[in-house]
Amino acid sequence: EIVLTQSPATLSLSPGESATLSCRASQSVSSSLAWYQQKPGQAPSLLIYDSTTRAPGIPGRFSGDGSGTDFTLTITNLEPEDFAVYHCQQRGRWPLTFGGGTAVEMK
Amino acid sequence: VQLLESGGASIQAGGSLRLSCEASGFTFASYAINWVRQAPGRGLEWVAEISGTGSSTYYAGSVEGRFTISRDNFKKTVFLQMDSLRAEDTAVYYCAKSLTTEWLGGYFDYWGQGTLVTVSS
């Protein structure tokens, strides 16, 4: 199965700063990668799919990039509601797999 | 769109449990539905997917042969039958709707609130 490795495990930032999250796949998944946001006690919500496409209603400060094995989620001008855990997920090959998550915490 | 899971419980290892996911607000039979779980303090793990018609199913290796996904399109409900439960199956189980009708094995645009399964050894 394809293993997704997210880094860093935790990112400590202040509101207004930018966050850069990484997701690396053990094999190429082409552009078949999504990012989800999960807040404590809540289900995940879809942010980005197909590496770069924002889901409906997602603000422009969230952007995705990458293809093959290396992917990035960038959040510019962090808002207080952006502090959460972010998961990547691939649909390039069965079984579908998720990364271990990156927590963006407030400094 | 709403997805509502039920059926979570505390159970002994080796036992069985059936989870349900009742859907509303979309053309249910057109979309694949997935189960995704999250062990306490851990990341997400995809468990199983069933196509809109129910004719195709897919499983994670960790549950294949023990879990069975099925659906009743008249009742707009997806089920996850879990047999031979193990302590490592302890998790919140979410059902999630596929983003698109165009392919299987996709992304998940709507999630339920989750139901907790606790397996004691």
Side-chain angles (χ1 to χ4, degrees):
Chain A
E1 73 177 43
I2 294 176
V3 176
L4 298 180
T5 302
Q6 291 188 242
S7 61
T10 305
L11 207 46
S12 296
L13 295 166
S14 300
E17 292 190 303
S18 292
T20 302
L21 287 65
S22 171
C23 178
R24 178 163 289 178
S26 59
Q27 310 173 38
S28 176
V29 298
S30 185
S31 295
S32 300
L33 189 110
W35 293 92
Y36 299 83
Q37 178 191 69
Q38 186 177 28
K39 297 179 180 178
Q42 296 185 18
S45 59
L46 180 64
L47 291 174
I48 301 279
Y49 63 94
D50 285 346
S51 180
T52 61
T53 304
R54 274 189 297 276
I58 300 303
R61 64 181 182 274
F62 291 91
S63 63
D65 197 10
S67 65
T69 60
D70 290 304
F71 299 86
T72 301
L73 173 69
T74 301
I75 314 168
T76 56
N77 192 20
L78 279 163
E79 299 282 347
E81 62 266 28
D82 299 336
F83 292 91
V85 176
Y86 293 84
H87 307 272
C88 57
Q89 176 241 326
Q90 65 82 23
R91 63 168 297 271
R93 293 190 187 197
W94 295 102
L96 309 179
T97 52
F98 288 88
T102 290
V104 178
E105 64 174 31
M106 201 176 296
K107 188 187 291 184
Chain B
V1 173
Q2 284 198 325
L3 299 167
L4 185 63
E5 302 96 336
S6 61
S10 294
I11 191 164
Q12 296 265 12
S16 297
L17 208 55
R18 188 173 87 153
L19 305 183
S20 299
C21 169
E22 187 173 350
S24 61
F26 62 100
T27 307
F28 182 71
S30 295
Y31 289 88
I33 301 292
N34 291 259
W35 288 96
V36 177
R37 68 185 181 183
Q38 187 168 35
R42 306 292 297 272
L44 301 168
E45 179 187 15
W46 173 78
V47 172
E49 175 169 304
I50 186 166
S51 63
T53 61
S55 60
S56 297
T57 57
Y58 302 86
Y59 296 93
S62 58
V63 306
E64 183 130 39
R66 299 188 299 123
F67 290 12
T68 304
I69 190 170
S70 61
R71 66 191 294 158
D72 181 335
N73 284 348
F74 291 104
K75 295 183 178 178
K76 299 185 179 180
T77 301
V78 171
F79 305 99
L80 186 67
Q81 177 66 40
M82 305 187 295
D83 298 321
S84 303
L85 282 161
R86 305 167 180 168
E88 54 264 36
D89 296 318
T90 294
V92 173
Y93 284 73
Y94 297 100
C95 63
K97 169 187 166 291
S98 284
L99 172 66
T100 176
T101 61
E102 293 181 23
W103 57 69
L104 298 179
Y107 310 114
F108 317 123
D109 61 346
Y110 287 94
W111 299 61
Q113 86 292 344
T115 189
L116 177 62
V117 173
T118 304
V119 184
S120 56
S121 53

